[in-house]
Each structure stands twice: as structure tokens, then as C-alpha cells.
Amino acid sequence: MQNCQVCNEPLDPAGDSTATVHYECACCTCCLEPLGKEFYEVKGSFLCREDYFLLHGQRCAYGSCGEVIHGKVISGLGKTWHESHFTCASCGVQLATASFVARHSHAFCIACNTKMKSLAAKDSAKPECAKCNRPIQDPANEMTVFKNQTVHASHFDCFVCGCALDAKCKELDGRLVCPAHAESGGKGTCKKCAKTVRTERNMVALGGIYHLECFVCTKCETPFPTSSFWEIKGDPYCEVHYNQWMGSICGHCNDVSTGRVVTAMGRKWCEDHFFCHTCFGSLVNSKFVSWDAKPVCKKCYDVLPRSVRQTVHRREEAEKKRMKAGIWNL
């Protein structure tokens, strides 16, 4: 006589001959709930319906779904789908009961597939771009020949001036140039010195072309140590003079303000450098007075001679009037 796999007690010989457990002993291996009348056995383990489908059920291949499929399962493209999710990748019509064609791992209805074949036939008659491998839709305005290959001209900029190119561009010494610079033999005018620039040594930037030796900071005329530069009104600047122009130079160290920047007295300050110039205490979030163009804390200011404090006060009042009238000290 066979025993129950759970309680090890004898099974009812008058019952189901294929049973391996008492009905009351049977519970789900995962949730430990009674199995009920519908359950599944997988490799000696008993699972309720919910846990069986959760662990071993078929899931929908639709991108944002991925849920277990309860009920009707649609098979297509080597995957399983909910009936409502197996649709044409182009128009969205349901394909559960309709014919479809597989293209590039997607399903398309017959109508959309016919349209795509028609478009593909038209594109096949057009030249293909060697750079992006796509057909050139308007060869007359978009196509050029570069190094014996047809390409979209829009993939390139003029080597001399950097402007966008179209089908009228020309190849010159292995470089693509705009029609204007093709006529001048690939030469341009330096934006700084206004002299001719040859294609061998130049720098294209800020909507113009420069001699390499002319592409320097507009203020200090120092070459840029790296490829980085800053632009103000169309001219290149080094980091120091860009920040100086934009008002980001610290009023104490005369270097570019770093970290948290404090704005006071019409200037910028590094947080660590904004301190009282008498007792050297930090003035961040504290009251201060400008004395001799330097910040001084209220405590130090109060011990100054009365005549000095009166002079400072008069200067502050005069400055407020100038600012109100729109008059600035330069």
C-alpha cells in the first residue's frame, strides 16, 4: 500500500490509484496554501494554479507587457502573445485571426506589407549614401560624390569655412568645400588678420577660418593650451579673460571664482575669500561695510574713528544716488 508523500500515512485504497498525497494534505510548495481541485505537479513539487502560471506559464512578448498569459495564447514570430497585443507594427490592427508577414522581427498586416514593398522598390532605384547607408531621396539637391562614393552632402561641412554643404559642394584635395571656396582654390580669409588662409594650416571656429597662429585669446593673445576656448560676441577668449569679462573673477585672489560664489560690492568672491579685512572673520551670511573697497565686518567698522565712519557713510549714500540715476563708475 502506498503512503502519502506529506504525512506518510497510508492512502485510501478505494480512492484514485494515481494519487500520491491525501487531498487534505496537499498544499502549494510556494504559497503553502491548500491546492484545491486544480493544481500542477512539477518535478515532484505541487503548485497551485496561480503559482504554476507565475513560474512556468507563458508570458506575453509585447514590449511593455511581459505578463503571464491566462486564457488564449497567440503564437507568432517564435514568441507568445496576449490576443490583444499581437498587432501590426505599422497600423496597429490585431493579427490574431488575420494573415501577417514577418519583417525585421516585427509582424505586419498584408496591407502595410504591400505599402512597404512599394516604398522599398522606389528607394532601391535611388542612390545609396555610403556614410549612412540610406537612400538619397533628392539627389539633385542632397547628393554629392566624395572619394568616388555617393553621399548626402549634409553629412559634411565646408573644410575652409565650416558652413553646411549641399549638392553644389566640390571636392578639393581630398576635402569637401563650398562653391565659394572651390572657386578660390580652397583659400579663405582669416577672421583675425584678414589675410589669405591656405587649407594646410588653419582653424575653423566661430563661423570663420583662422591661421593657427591667429587663433588666440582676443585679450591676451595667448594660444589656447587645449582645444577649449570661450566665446564672447563671436571672438575667442581664454578662461581667465572670459570669466573676467563675465564678472567671475574673485575680488581677493584675482582668479576665477570657484565653489560657492558670493556676490557683493559689485564683484564676485570665492566663499573662502569673502572675509573681514580687519579681523579676517568670514562674512558669508553676515552684515558688512565697504571700507576702502574692501569688506569689513560690522564689529570692526564700529571701532573705527567717527570721522572715518562718516566718510564711509557719505560715500555709500553717494554711490546709492549714482546707481539710482543710472550712473556707473568705470
Side-chain angles (χ1 to χ4, degrees), residues 59 72 88 117 189 194 203 205 222 269 285:
R59 293 182 176 271
K72 187 175 182 180
C88 173
K117 288 175 65 176
T189 301
M203 177 68 181
T222 302
W269 309 77
N285 298 324

Side-chain angles (χ1 to χ4, degrees), residues 40-188:
Y40 300 83
E41 183 178 0
V42 180
K43 296 181 181 180
S45 298
F46 296 97
L47 299 171
C48 64
R49 184 179 186 276
E50 289 74 13
D51 287 327
Y52 173 79
F53 277 101
L54 183 64
L55 296 175
H56 305 285
Q58 295 175 311
R59 293 182 176 271
C60 180
Y62 185 73
S64 60
C65 180
E67 298 294 330
V68 175
I69 303 174
H70 296 283
K72 187 175 182 180
V73 178
I74 303 298
S75 297
L77 304 176
K79 301 175 183 178
T80 55
W81 313 74
H82 284 112
E83 184 176 9
S84 60
H85 286 163
F86 189 58
T87 58
C88 173
S90 179
C91 66
V93 66
Q94 290 192 11
L95 299 175
T97 58
S99 299
F100 68 91
V101 177
R103 294 174 62 95
H104 307 298
S105 301
H106 293 286
F108 293 89
C109 66
I110 300 301
C112 289
N113 182 63
T114 302
K115 292 179 182 178
M116 294 176 68
K117 288 175 65 176
S118 176
L119 293 174
K122 293 180 180 179
D123 288 341
S124 64
K126 296 177 181 178
E128 185 178 272
C129 175
K131 188 172 178 66
C132 66
N133 298 322
R134 294 182 178 179
I136 302 175
Q137 300 294 340
D138 186 5
N141 295 311
E142 298 177 356
M143 188 184 79
T144 190
V145 178
F146 181 47
K147 296 182 178 180
N148 297 321
Q149 294 181 318
T150 56
V151 293
H152 286 105
S154 57
H155 289 318
F156 302 88
D157 295 328
C158 175
F159 178 73
V160 178
C161 65
C163 70
L165 296 177
D166 56 21
K168 297 179 181 179
C169 66
K170 304 292 182 182
E171 183 176 357
L172 183 66
D173 297 330
R175 310 290 178 92
L176 286 177
V177 296
C178 63
H181 288 108
E183 293 179 3
S184 65
K187 300 175 183 179

Side-chain angles (χ1 to χ4, degrees), residues 213-259:
E213 58 273 18
C214 290
F215 192 65
V216 295
C217 174
T218 304
K219 180 71 174 179
C220 63
E221 297 191 345
T222 302
F224 303 109
T226 64
S227 58
S228 298
F229 62 90
W230 286 258
E231 180 264 341
I232 300 176
K233 297 182 179 180
D235 294 321
Y237 284 81
C238 64
E239 183 178 11
V240 172
H241 288 109
Y242 171 81
N243 284 287
Q244 189 177 60
W245 180 282
M246 301 302 290
S248 298
I249 298 297
C250 175
H252 174 73
C253 64
N254 204 33
D255 203 348
V256 178
S257 301
T258 58

